[in-house]
Amino acid sequence: MNILVTGAAGFIGSNFVYYMLEKHPEDRIVALDALTYAGNLETLEEALENKNFKFIKGDIYDKKHVFEIFREEKPDIVVNFAAETHVDRSIEDPGIFVRTNVGGTQVLLDAATEFGVTRFHQIGTDEVYGDLPLDRPDLFFKEDMPLKASSPYSASKASADLLTMAYHRTYGLPVTISRCSNNYGPYQFPEKLIPLVIYRAENDESIPVYGTGDNVRDWLYVMDHCSAIDLIMRDGRDGEIYNIGGHNERNNITVVRRILEYLGKPESLITFVTDRKGHDKRYAIDPEKTKKELGWEPETRFEDGIGMTIDWYLEHRSWWEHIVSGDYQNYYQKMYGDR
Ligand code: NAD
Ligand code: DAU
């Protein structure tokens, strides 16, 4: 089976590549990534040595290139991770989010419709449901809830989901969508909360906590997300949406304190800063449908996963130091410049 994985040089896409190469060595993975500031080819260094893996630098919004790739590579399955993903950046500059997340997804859907695939899997997010109040712990996101995005990022992801469903209904494209809660684990870009806290604490720098730190996120170890995607894209029903989450709710200040404690760093590093505009209060996934239909269960408890993640960042200092210094952006030129 040929599987086209877009956004494969990012956090979850790269973890998914490694998951797939190990779990399904018979499949061939073609990775497409524009290597934006968030894409890092160093992350795929080991995968690049695998004969069943091919990397293509390209933009999902570039219709000509995307169609060429479909013509040549003939993917059976497409998994679309490629996106602008940072909420704070979307508040500063919404345009690129619409271009990539909506326009880019539409180009991929067009190509999949034109060339035919057995499955187009769209990677969605729980942020499309909006947020839940802090004082109603009995409420959870369910697949049939109305879309109520808060940020330009989540609005662009909601639009991509709507387009994906429209291509299913109108053109009969076999699609599935998964909507996952916050991921954490190796290779996450250090602008996101957990890696940002780890690297700043390691450097004895202040830790910015938005507002009062009481916002709640539902954390899932990235490999548990990957195993769910693998099941959904193969065995999920056409035209269905599947929530992914593991009931691991924590407020931000608890997560920050846990990391500082693990690293033996003082809480005096915590600095409360002006809140994010439109900051969603609480995310909490109800994953029952995915568990019931596909037998999926997360394997990693937050307490174990956060330790594994911190250890990974400590053992891979050069990976994030290259990012923080900007060096990683020269890597593609070094590897591919003369090819
Ligand atoms: P990321 O920012 O780490 O990676 C995104 C990747 O997409 C990068 O490699 C980047 O170079 C690539 N990309 C961006 N624009 C592109 C374009 N125009 N063409 C080709 N490639 C492009 O993001 P992530 O956290 O790995 O998220 C991956 C997907 O999962 C996204 O669709 C995101 O919405 C979704 N998601 C993320 C989380 C999370 O907690 N991180 C949770 C649920 C869903
Ligand atoms: O829920 C899934 C989503 O999770 C994904 O769709 C997004 O792509 C991903 O970025 C993530 O969005 P969040 O906004 O929840 O993640 P972030 O790491 O940016 O922030 C997590 C929480 O921590 C949020 O409440 C804001 C807060 N925060 C974040 C940063 C970067 C801080 O308090 N300080 C910070 O410096």
Side-chain angles (χ1 to χ4, degrees), residues 12 83-88 124-128 141 153-154 157 180-183 188-197 200 207-211 213-219 252-253 256 271 273 275-276 279-281 283 285:
I12 309 174
E84 291 291 334
T85 62
H86 194 37
V87 173
D88 293 320
T125 170
D126 62 354
E127 297 201 11
V128 299
F141 293 142
Y153 162 69
S154 48
K157 292 293 291 182
C180 191
S181 57
N182 285 61
N183 284 213
Q188 186 167 29
F189 197 84
E191 66 187 350
K192 306 284 166 63
L193 181 71
I194 287 180
L196 180 125
V197 173
R200 290 189 66 90
I207 309 293
V209 173
Y210 298 165
D214 62 353
N215 302 64
V216 170
R217 295 295 182 263
D218 186 358
W219 294 99
N252 294 338
I253 194 70
V256 170
T271 312
V273 300
D275 210 352
R276 175 184 278 173
H279 198 173
D280 281 336
K281 281 293 178 197
Y283 301 149
I285 280 276

Tab-separated table of all heavy atoms in Angstrom, residues 12 83-88 124-128 141 153-154 157 180-183 188-197 200 207-211 213-219 252-253 256 271 273 275-276 279-281 283 285, ligand 2:
chain	number	residue	atom	x	y	z
A	12	ILE	N	3.393	15.630	14.856
A	12	ILE	CA	2.623	14.375	14.853
A	12	ILE	C	2.897	13.589	13.568
A	12	ILE	O	3.010	12.355	13.586
A	12	ILE	CB	1.108	14.643	15.016
A	12	ILE	CG1	0.858	15.547	16.224
A	12	ILE	CG2	0.345	13.330	15.184
A	12	ILE	CD1	-0.591	15.988	16.395
A	83	ALA	N	-0.505	21.519	8.080
A	83	ALA	CA	-1.322	22.642	8.541
A	83	ALA	C	-0.443	23.655	9.253
A	83	ALA	O	0.663	23.358	9.695
A	83	ALA	CB	-2.400	22.143	9.514
A	84	GLU	N	-0.948	24.866	9.317
A	84	GLU	CA	-0.456	25.843	10.294
A	84	GLU	C	-1.186	25.491	11.581
A	84	GLU	O	-2.414	25.333	11.576
A	84	GLU	CB	-0.787	27.262	9.843
A	84	GLU	CG	-0.012	27.734	8.631
A	84	GLU	CD	1.472	27.931	8.923
A	84	GLU	OE1	1.818	28.184	10.091
A	84	GLU	OE2	2.279	27.815	7.977
A	85	THR	N	-0.442	25.384	12.695
A	85	THR	CA	-1.056	24.752	13.864
A	85	THR	C	-1.033	25.570	15.161
A	85	THR	O	-1.589	25.119	16.156
A	85	THR	CB	-0.349	23.411	14.168
A	85	THR	OG1	1.028	23.684	14.489
A	85	THR	CG2	-0.442	22.444	13.002
A	86	HIS	N	-0.346	26.722	15.158
A	86	HIS	CA	-0.208	27.399	16.458
A	86	HIS	C	-1.244	28.510	16.625
A	86	HIS	O	-1.253	29.486	15.872
A	86	HIS	CB	1.210	27.945	16.605
A	86	HIS	CG	1.537	28.344	18.005
A	86	HIS	ND1	1.088	27.648	19.113
A	86	HIS	CD2	2.257	29.382	18.508
A	86	HIS	CE1	1.526	28.227	20.219
A	86	HIS	NE2	2.229	29.281	19.878
A	87	VAL	N	-2.096	28.344	17.624
A	87	VAL	CA	-3.215	29.272	17.862
A	87	VAL	C	-2.722	30.716	17.975
A	87	VAL	O	-3.296	31.633	17.361
A	87	VAL	CB	-3.987	28.848	19.134
A	87	VAL	CG1	-5.043	29.882	19.500
A	87	VAL	CG2	-4.609	27.469	18.938
A	88	ASP	N	-1.646	30.943	18.720
A	88	ASP	CA	-1.159	32.318	18.905
A	88	ASP	C	-0.755	32.948	17.578
A	88	ASP	O	-1.003	34.122	17.336
A	88	ASP	CB	0.045	32.337	19.874
A	88	ASP	CG	-0.367	31.937	21.291
A	88	ASP	OD1	-1.449	32.370	21.723
A	88	ASP	OD2	0.373	31.184	21.935
A	124	GLY	N	-8.081	16.187	12.041
A	124	GLY	CA	-8.789	17.331	12.611
A	124	GLY	C	-8.377	17.556	14.057
A	124	GLY	O	-7.469	16.894	14.578
A	125	THR	N	-9.053	18.481	14.695
A	125	THR	CA	-8.721	18.822	16.081
A	125	THR	C	-9.988	19.021	16.909
A	125	THR	O	-11.021	19.435	16.373
A	125	THR	CB	-7.872	20.113	16.131
A	125	THR	OG1	-7.753	20.550	17.496
A	125	THR	CG2	-8.495	21.256	15.325
A	126	ASP	N	-9.858	18.779	18.207
A	126	ASP	CA	-11.012	18.994	19.100
A	126	ASP	C	-11.362	20.472	19.230
A	126	ASP	O	-12.442	20.822	19.706
A	126	ASP	CB	-10.745	18.382	20.485
A	126	ASP	CG	-9.570	18.999	21.225
A	126	ASP	OD1	-8.858	19.831	20.647
A	126	ASP	OD2	-9.370	18.648	22.401
A	127	GLU	N	-10.434	21.362	18.802
A	127	GLU	CA	-10.700	22.801	18.960
A	127	GLU	C	-11.882	23.257	18.112
A	127	GLU	O	-12.430	24.343	18.346
A	127	GLU	CB	-9.457	23.621	18.600
A	127	GLU	CG	-8.295	23.324	19.517
A	127	GLU	CD	-7.242	24.423	19.548
A	127	GLU	OE1	-7.489	25.518	19.032
A	127	GLU	OE2	-6.163	24.160	20.110
A	128	VAL	N	-12.302	22.446	17.139
A	128	VAL	CA	-13.434	22.863	16.289
A	128	VAL	C	-14.745	22.894	17.073
A	128	VAL	O	-15.709	23.531	16.653
A	128	VAL	CB	-13.599	21.946	15.041
A	128	VAL	CG1	-12.366	22.001	14.167
A	128	VAL	CG2	-13.931	20.514	15.440
A	141	PHE	N	-16.742	16.707	24.598
A	141	PHE	CA	-16.959	16.874	23.156
A	141	PHE	C	-17.402	15.546	22.553
A	141	PHE	O	-16.738	14.517	22.745
A	141	PHE	CB	-15.663	17.269	22.445
A	141	PHE	CG	-15.125	18.634	22.799
A	141	PHE	CD1	-13.750	18.835	22.920
A	141	PHE	CD2	-15.962	19.736	22.968
A	141	PHE	CE1	-13.222	20.095	23.212
A	141	PHE	CE2	-15.440	21.003	23.258
A	141	PHE	CZ	-14.073	21.173	23.388
A	153	TYR	N	-7.264	29.784	13.847
A	153	TYR	CA	-6.763	28.422	13.617
A	153	TYR	C	-7.906	27.414	13.619
A	153	TYR	O	-8.088	26.643	12.674
A	153	TYR	CB	-5.723	28.039	14.695
A	153	TYR	CG	-5.493	26.544	14.800
A	153	TYR	CD1	-4.854	25.846	13.772
A	153	TYR	CD2	-5.934	25.824	15.916
A	153	TYR	CE1	-4.675	24.469	13.854
A	153	TYR	CE2	-5.757	24.451	15.999
A	153	TYR	CZ	-5.122	23.776	14.962
A	153	TYR	OH	-4.951	22.412	15.041
A	154	SER	N	-8.703	27.420	14.696
A	154	SER	CA	-9.737	26.379	14.786
A	154	SER	C	-10.819	26.589	13.729
A	154	SER	O	-11.391	25.617	13.230
A	154	SER	CB	-10.314	26.274	16.192
A	154	SER	OG	-10.660	27.522	16.715
A	157	LYS	N	-9.528	24.985	10.643
A	157	LYS	CA	-9.598	23.514	10.732
A	157	LYS	C	-11.042	23.033	10.593
A	157	LYS	O	-11.312	21.994	9.992
A	157	LYS	CB	-9.004	23.035	12.060
A	157	LYS	CG	-7.512	23.239	12.214
A	157	LYS	CD	-6.681	22.400	11.273
A	157	LYS	CE	-6.742	20.926	11.596
A	157	LYS	NZ	-5.878	20.131	10.685
A	180	CYS	N	-8.594	15.052	17.494
A	180	CYS	CA	-7.842	14.660	18.684
A	180	CYS	C	-7.654	15.830	19.639
A	180	CYS	O	-7.698	16.994	19.242
A	180	CYS	CB	-6.475	14.108	18.248
A	180	CYS	SG	-5.577	13.309	19.579
A	181	SER	N	-7.423	15.491	20.881
A	181	SER	CA	-7.110	16.497	21.899
A	181	SER	C	-5.612	16.823	21.835
A	181	SER	O	-4.889	16.327	20.973
A	181	SER	CB	-7.483	15.939	23.272
A	181	SER	OG	-6.789	14.729	23.485
A	182	ASN	N	-5.130	17.640	22.791
A	182	ASN	CA	-3.726	18.082	22.791
A	182	ASN	C	-2.751	16.905	22.865
A	182	ASN	O	-2.854	16.082	23.778
A	182	ASN	CB	-3.454	18.978	23.997
A	182	ASN	CG	-4.041	20.356	23.816
A	182	ASN	OD1	-5.250	20.512	23.673
A	182	ASN	ND2	-3.189	21.359	23.820
A	183	ASN	N	-1.805	16.886	21.960
A	183	ASN	CA	-0.763	15.850	21.959
A	183	ASN	C	0.489	16.365	22.657
A	183	ASN	O	0.766	17.563	22.663
A	183	ASN	CB	-0.348	15.513	20.526
A	183	ASN	CG	-1.347	14.648	19.791
A	183	ASN	OD1	-0.969	13.826	18.964
A	183	ASN	ND2	-2.639	14.800	20.056
A	188	GLN	N	7.997	17.734	19.361
A	188	GLN	CA	7.018	18.824	19.278
A	188	GLN	C	7.764	20.156	19.240
A	188	GLN	O	8.682	20.401	20.030
A	188	GLN	CB	6.047	18.788	20.471
A	188	GLN	CG	4.930	19.823	20.313
A	188	GLN	CD	3.776	19.625	21.290
A	188	GLN	OE1	3.987	19.104	22.388
A	188	GLN	NE2	2.582	20.028	20.905
A	189	PHE	N	7.343	21.018	18.336
A	189	PHE	CA	8.032	22.300	18.141
A	189	PHE	C	7.948	23.134	19.428
A	189	PHE	O	6.867	23.281	20.003
A	189	PHE	CB	7.371	23.057	16.980
A	189	PHE	CG	8.220	24.159	16.432
A	189	PHE	CD1	9.201	23.900	15.487
A	189	PHE	CD2	8.037	25.467	16.864
A	189	PHE	CE1	9.990	24.933	14.981
A	189	PHE	CE2	8.819	26.494	16.364
A	189	PHE	CZ	9.794	26.228	15.420
A	190	PRO	N	9.081	23.693	19.851
A	190	PRO	CA	9.102	24.325	21.179
A	190	PRO	C	8.433	25.698	21.261
A	190	PRO	O	8.846	26.543	22.047
A	190	PRO	CB	10.598	24.401	21.505
A	190	PRO	CG	11.289	24.304	20.216
A	190	PRO	CD	10.415	23.562	19.259
A	191	GLU	N	7.360	25.873	20.491
A	191	GLU	CA	6.494	27.044	20.706
A	191	GLU	C	5.243	26.605	21.480
A	191	GLU	O	4.499	27.429	21.984
A	191	GLU	CB	6.071	27.658	19.370
A	191	GLU	CG	5.179	26.757	18.537
A	191	GLU	CD	4.871	27.270	17.144
A	191	GLU	OE1	5.190	28.431	16.825
A	191	GLU	OE2	4.314	26.485	16.351
A	192	LYS	N	5.009	25.282	21.535
A	192	LYS	CA	3.828	24.741	22.207
A	192	LYS	C	4.139	24.544	23.693
A	192	LYS	O	5.293	24.374	24.079
A	192	LYS	CB	3.409	23.415	21.566
A	192	LYS	CG	3.199	23.491	20.048
A	192	LYS	CD	1.904	24.166	19.662
A	192	LYS	CE	1.813	24.551	18.188
A	192	LYS	NZ	1.853	23.473	17.246
A	193	LEU	N	3.083	24.549	24.528
A	193	LEU	CA	3.287	24.674	25.979
A	193	LEU	C	4.346	23.719	26.559
A	193	LEU	O	5.301	24.164	27.202
A	193	LEU	CB	1.958	24.478	26.722
A	193	LEU	CG	2.103	24.615	28.246
A	193	LEU	CD1	2.369	26.058	28.656
A	193	LEU	CD2	0.865	24.082	28.956
A	194	ILE	N	4.172	22.403	26.354
A	194	ILE	CA	5.034	21.456	27.082
A	194	ILE	C	6.515	21.577	26.673
A	194	ILE	O	7.382	21.777	27.543
A	194	ILE	CB	4.466	20.020	26.984
A	194	ILE	CG1	3.212	19.955	27.882
A	194	ILE	CG2	5.509	18.963	27.375
A	194	ILE	CD1	2.491	18.625	27.919
A	195	PRO	N	6.853	21.520	25.364
A	195	PRO	CA	8.283	21.680	25.043
A	195	PRO	C	8.828	23.066	25.385
A	195	PRO	O	10.004	23.198	25.750
A	195	PRO	CB	8.340	21.423	23.527
A	195	PRO	CG	6.939	21.538	23.036
A	195	PRO	CD	6.044	21.195	24.180
A	196	LEU	N	7.962	24.088	25.311
A	196	LEU	CA	8.417	25.435	25.662
A	196	LEU	C	8.818	25.502	27.143
A	196	LEU	O	9.875	26.028	27.497
A	196	LEU	CB	7.301	26.456	25.363
A	196	LEU	CG	7.634	27.911	25.671
A	196	LEU	CD1	7.421	28.777	24.426
A	196	LEU	CD2	6.781	28.463	26.794
A	197	VAL	N	7.989	24.891	27.984
A	197	VAL	CA	8.297	24.899	29.423
A	197	VAL	C	9.582	24.112	29.672
A	197	VAL	O	10.459	24.544	30.431
A	197	VAL	CB	7.119	24.315	30.240
A	197	VAL	CG1	7.503	24.162	31.709
A	197	VAL	CG2	5.875	25.194	30.099
A	200	ARG	N	12.706	26.133	28.320
A	200	ARG	CA	12.973	27.376	29.053
A	200	ARG	C	13.413	27.057	30.492
A	200	ARG	O	14.307	27.706	31.035
A	200	ARG	CB	11.759	28.292	29.028
A	200	ARG	CG	11.535	28.871	27.614
A	200	ARG	CD	10.482	29.955	27.596
A	200	ARG	NE	10.842	31.161	28.327
A	200	ARG	CZ	11.477	32.199	27.816
A	200	ARG	NH1	11.862	32.187	26.545
A	200	ARG	NH2	11.743	33.270	28.561
A	207	ILE	N	8.913	31.182	32.713
A	207	ILE	CA	7.909	30.341	32.056
A	207	ILE	C	6.614	31.153	31.941
A	207	ILE	O	5.969	31.426	32.967
A	207	ILE	CB	7.604	29.065	32.900
A	207	ILE	CG1	8.880	28.324	33.305
A	207	ILE	CG2	6.599	28.172	32.186
A	207	ILE	CD1	9.652	27.702	32.188
A	208	PRO	N	6.219	31.544	30.718
A	208	PRO	CA	5.006	32.363	30.590
A	208	PRO	C	3.737	31.527	30.697
A	208	PRO	O	3.518	30.606	29.905
A	208	PRO	CB	5.138	32.952	29.172
A	208	PRO	CG	6.008	31.991	28.435
A	208	PRO	CD	6.852	31.252	29.427
A	209	VAL	N	2.914	31.823	31.698
A	209	VAL	CA	1.618	31.141	31.848
A	209	VAL	C	0.530	32.170	31.549
A	209	VAL	O	0.495	33.242	32.162
A	209	VAL	CB	1.456	30.557	33.264
A	209	VAL	CG1	0.048	29.997	33.458
A	209	VAL	CG2	2.491	29.467	33.499
A	210	TYR	N	-0.338	31.821	30.580
A	210	TYR	CA	-1.364	32.779	30.165
A	210	TYR	C	-2.453	32.881	31.224
A	210	TYR	O	-2.937	31.837	31.727
A	210	TYR	CB	-2.023	32.339	28.852
A	210	TYR	CG	-1.094	32.236	27.650
A	210	TYR	CD1	-1.512	31.561	26.501
A	210	TYR	CD2	0.174	32.813	27.645
A	210	TYR	CE1	-0.693	31.457	25.388
A	210	TYR	CE2	1.000	32.710	26.531
A	210	TYR	CZ	0.566	32.027	25.408
A	210	TYR	OH	1.380	31.933	24.318
A	211	GLY	N	-2.871	34.128	31.522
A	211	GLY	CA	-3.968	34.353	32.463
A	211	GLY	C	-3.617	33.815	33.835
A	211	GLY	O	-2.527	34.076	34.356
A	213	GLY	N	-3.722	30.451	34.473
A	213	GLY	CA	-3.238	29.068	34.346
A	213	GLY	C	-4.311	28.036	34.634
A	213	GLY	O	-4.012	26.846	34.796
A	214	ASP	N	-5.590	28.470	34.688
A	214	ASP	CA	-6.635	27.492	35.041
A	214	ASP	C	-7.283	26.837	33.818
A	214	ASP	O	-8.153	25.978	33.963
A	214	ASP	CB	-7.702	28.124	35.954
A	214	ASP	CG	-8.435	29.282	35.283
A	214	ASP	OD1	-8.032	29.669	34.171
A	214	ASP	OD2	-9.400	29.803	35.882
A	215	ASN	N	-6.856	27.223	32.616
A	215	ASN	CA	-7.423	26.590	31.411
A	215	ASN	C	-7.036	25.121	31.376
A	215	ASN	O	-5.913	24.756	31.728
A	215	ASN	CB	-6.889	27.287	30.146
A	215	ASN	CG	-7.213	28.764	30.154
A	215	ASN	OD1	-6.718	29.485	31.021
A	215	ASN	ND2	-8.033	29.206	29.240
A	216	VAL	N	-7.989	24.303	30.940
A	216	VAL	CA	-7.784	22.848	30.981
A	216	VAL	C	-7.588	22.294	29.576
A	216	VAL	O	-8.332	22.641	28.648
A	216	VAL	CB	-9.005	22.166	31.652
A	216	VAL	CG1	-8.948	20.651	31.504
A	216	VAL	CG2	-9.084	22.562	33.120
A	217	ARG	N	-6.590	21.426	29.423
A	217	ARG	CA	-6.373	20.709	28.173
A	217	ARG	C	-6.396	19.203	28.483
A	217	ARG	O	-6.080	18.796	29.605
A	217	ARG	CB	-5.023	21.101	27.533
A	217	ARG	CG	-4.963	22.580	27.085
A	217	ARG	CD	-5.934	22.849	25.973
A	217	ARG	NE	-5.930	24.211	25.449
A	217	ARG	CZ	-6.788	25.167	25.830
A	217	ARG	NH1	-7.674	24.931	26.778
A	217	ARG	NH2	-6.759	26.363	25.260
A	218	ASP	N	-6.746	18.422	27.451
A	218	ASP	CA	-6.928	16.972	27.613
A	218	ASP	C	-5.751	16.322	26.877
A	218	ASP	O	-5.766	16.230	25.655
A	218	ASP	CB	-8.288	16.634	26.971
A	218	ASP	CG	-8.704	15.189	27.167
A	218	ASP	OD1	-7.938	14.426	27.767
A	218	ASP	OD2	-9.805	14.840	26.693
A	219	TRP	N	-4.712	15.902	27.621
A	219	TRP	CA	-3.436	15.531	26.995
A	219	TRP	C	-3.405	14.070	26.550
A	219	TRP	O	-3.826	13.172	27.286
A	219	TRP	CB	-2.287	15.798	27.969
A	219	TRP	CG	-2.145	17.270	28.243
A	219	TRP	CD1	-2.621	17.959	29.330
A	219	TRP	CD2	-1.523	18.245	27.396
A	219	TRP	NE1	-2.329	19.292	29.206
A	219	TRP	CE2	-1.654	19.510	28.040
A	219	TRP	CE3	-0.864	18.196	26.160
A	219	TRP	CZ2	-1.150	20.689	27.481
A	219	TRP	CZ3	-0.365	19.369	25.618
A	219	TRP	CH2	-0.506	20.599	26.269
A	252	ASN	N	-3.383	24.128	33.064
A	252	ASN	CA	-2.027	24.450	32.596
A	252	ASN	C	-1.033	24.599	33.740
A	252	ASN	O	0.110	24.131	33.644
A	252	ASN	CB	-2.054	25.744	31.775
A	252	ASN	CG	-2.824	25.570	30.488
A	252	ASN	OD1	-2.991	24.449	29.994
A	252	ASN	ND2	-3.315	26.665	29.922
A	253	ILE	N	-1.481	25.217	34.822
A	253	ILE	CA	-0.529	25.461	35.916
A	253	ILE	C	-0.070	24.136	36.539
A	253	ILE	O	1.092	23.988	36.931
A	253	ILE	CB	-1.134	26.441	36.970
A	253	ILE	CG1	-0.052	26.955	37.905
A	253	ILE	CG2	-2.291	25.854	37.727
A	253	ILE	CD1	0.920	27.899	37.286
A	256	VAL	N	2.585	22.752	34.206
A	256	VAL	CA	3.843	23.511	34.332
A	256	VAL	C	4.563	23.116	35.636
A	256	VAL	O	5.778	22.846	35.635
A	256	VAL	CB	3.550	25.040	34.301
A	256	VAL	CG1	4.791	25.843	34.674
A	256	VAL	CG2	3.032	25.443	32.915
A	271	THR	N	5.867	32.881	35.356
A	271	THR	CA	5.458	34.280	35.218
A	271	THR	C	4.081	34.315	34.592
A	271	THR	O	3.903	33.797	33.474
A	271	THR	CB	6.440	35.031	34.264
A	271	THR	OG1	7.767	34.722	34.663
A	271	THR	CG2	6.219	36.530	34.304
A	273	VAL	N	1.320	35.903	32.523
A	273	VAL	CA	1.345	36.954	31.486
A	273	VAL	C	-0.083	37.175	30.970
A	273	VAL	O	-0.992	36.386	31.249
A	273	VAL	CB	2.295	36.569	30.311
A	273	VAL	CG1	3.717	36.381	30.789
A	273	VAL	CG2	1.804	35.312	29.588
A	275	ASP	N	-3.449	37.177	29.107
A	275	ASP	CA	-4.099	35.994	28.550
A	275	ASP	C	-4.138	36.032	27.018
A	275	ASP	O	-4.110	37.106	26.410
A	275	ASP	CB	-5.543	35.915	29.088
A	275	ASP	CG	-6.032	34.486	29.188
A	275	ASP	OD1	-5.339	33.574	28.705
A	275	ASP	OD2	-7.121	34.282	29.767
A	276	ARG	N	-4.223	34.844	26.411
A	276	ARG	CA	-4.442	34.712	24.956
A	276	ARG	C	-5.828	35.284	24.628
A	276	ARG	O	-6.781	35.048	25.374
A	276	ARG	CB	-4.370	33.222	24.616
A	276	ARG	CG	-4.695	32.873	23.193
A	276	ARG	CD	-4.697	31.354	22.985
A	276	ARG	NE	-3.371	30.820	22.782
A	276	ARG	CZ	-3.078	29.505	22.709
A	276	ARG	NH1	-4.044	28.608	22.841
A	276	ARG	NH2	-1.851	29.089	22.506
A	279	HIS	N	-9.186	32.969	24.588
A	279	HIS	CA	-8.601	31.720	25.121
A	279	HIS	C	-9.677	30.693	25.509
A	279	HIS	O	-10.485	30.933	26.412
A	279	HIS	CB	-7.766	32.079	26.357
A	279	HIS	CG	-6.786	31.044	26.757
A	279	HIS	ND1	-5.852	31.246	27.741
A	279	HIS	CD2	-6.573	29.769	26.306
A	279	HIS	CE1	-5.116	30.166	27.888
A	279	HIS	NE2	-5.540	29.252	27.024
A	280	ASP	N	-9.652	29.532	24.868
A	280	ASP	CA	-10.603	28.467	25.192
A	280	ASP	C	-10.353	27.962	26.608
A	280	ASP	O	-9.211	27.696	26.994
A	280	ASP	CB	-10.438	27.289	24.206
A	280	ASP	CG	-11.120	27.563	22.874
A	280	ASP	OD1	-12.068	28.380	22.826
A	280	ASP	OD2	-10.706	26.950	21.863
A	281	LYS	N	-11.452	27.782	27.360
A	281	LYS	CA	-11.329	27.402	28.769
A	281	LYS	C	-10.944	25.934	28.944
A	281	LYS	O	-9.943	25.602	29.559
A	281	LYS	CB	-12.663	27.652	29.490
A	281	LYS	CG	-12.892	29.107	29.845
A	281	LYS	CD	-11.889	29.534	30.906
A	281	LYS	CE	-12.043	31.003	31.270
A	281	LYS	NZ	-10.845	31.515	31.972
A	283	TYR	N	-10.943	21.859	27.163
A	283	TYR	CA	-11.176	20.846	26.131
A	283	TYR	C	-11.286	19.502	26.840
A	283	TYR	O	-10.487	19.206	27.744
A	283	TYR	CB	-10.015	20.735	25.137
A	283	TYR	CG	-9.665	21.983	24.362
A	283	TYR	CD1	-8.347	22.217	23.963
A	283	TYR	CD2	-10.624	22.911	23.993
A	283	TYR	CE1	-7.996	23.340	23.228
A	283	TYR	CE2	-10.284	24.037	23.258
A	283	TYR	CZ	-8.978	24.247	22.881
A	283	TYR	OH	-8.639	25.350	22.156
A	285	ILE	N	-12.417	15.429	25.562
A	285	ILE	CA	-12.918	14.540	24.504
A	285	ILE	C	-13.688	13.354	25.075
A	285	ILE	O	-13.250	12.749	26.061
A	285	ILE	CB	-11.691	13.997	23.705
A	285	ILE	CG1	-11.194	15.026	22.688
A	285	ILE	CG2	-11.972	12.676	23.058
A	285	ILE	CD1	-11.910	15.037	21.369
B	2	DAU	O1	-6.476	20.616	21.190
B	2	DAU	C1	-5.686	20.361	20.083
B	2	DAU	C2	-4.815	21.567	19.759
B	2	DAU	O2	-3.831	21.644	20.777
B	2	DAU	C3	-4.189	21.484	18.387
B	2	DAU	O3	-5.202	21.504	17.418
B	2	DAU	C4	-3.230	22.660	18.169
B	2	DAU	O4	-2.574	22.549	16.922
B	2	DAU	C5	-2.197	22.635	19.283
B	2	DAU	O5	-1.316	23.739	19.140
B	2	DAU	C6	-2.875	22.685	20.644
B	2	DAU	O6	-3.495	23.966	20.873
B	2	DAU	P1	-3.382	24.720	22.285
B	2	DAU	O7	-3.619	26.160	22.069
B	2	DAU	O8	-4.180	24.023	23.320
B	2	DAU	O9	-1.820	24.411	22.607
B	2	DAU	P2	-0.647	25.337	23.195
B	2	DAU	O10	0.507	24.436	23.482
B	2	DAU	O11	-0.408	26.543	22.367
B	2	DAU	O12	-1.258	25.829	24.587
B	2	DAU	C7	-1.696	24.902	25.568
B	2	DAU	C8	-2.293	25.707	26.712
B	2	DAU	O13	-1.227	26.407	27.379
B	2	DAU	C9	-3.282	26.784	26.283
B	2	DAU	O14	-4.291	26.901	27.257
B	2	DAU	C10	-2.446	28.053	26.243
B	2	DAU	C11	-1.417	27.825	27.333
B	2	DAU	N1	-0.088	28.438	27.123
B	2	DAU	C12	0.546	28.197	25.962
B	2	DAU	C13	1.805	28.712	25.705
B	2	DAU	C14	2.506	28.475	24.394
B	2	DAU	C15	0.512	29.171	28.132
B	2	DAU	O15	-0.073	29.375	29.218
B	2	DAU	N2	1.756	29.683	27.901
B	2	DAU	C16	2.425	29.508	26.720
B	2	DAU	O16	3.546	30.036	26.572
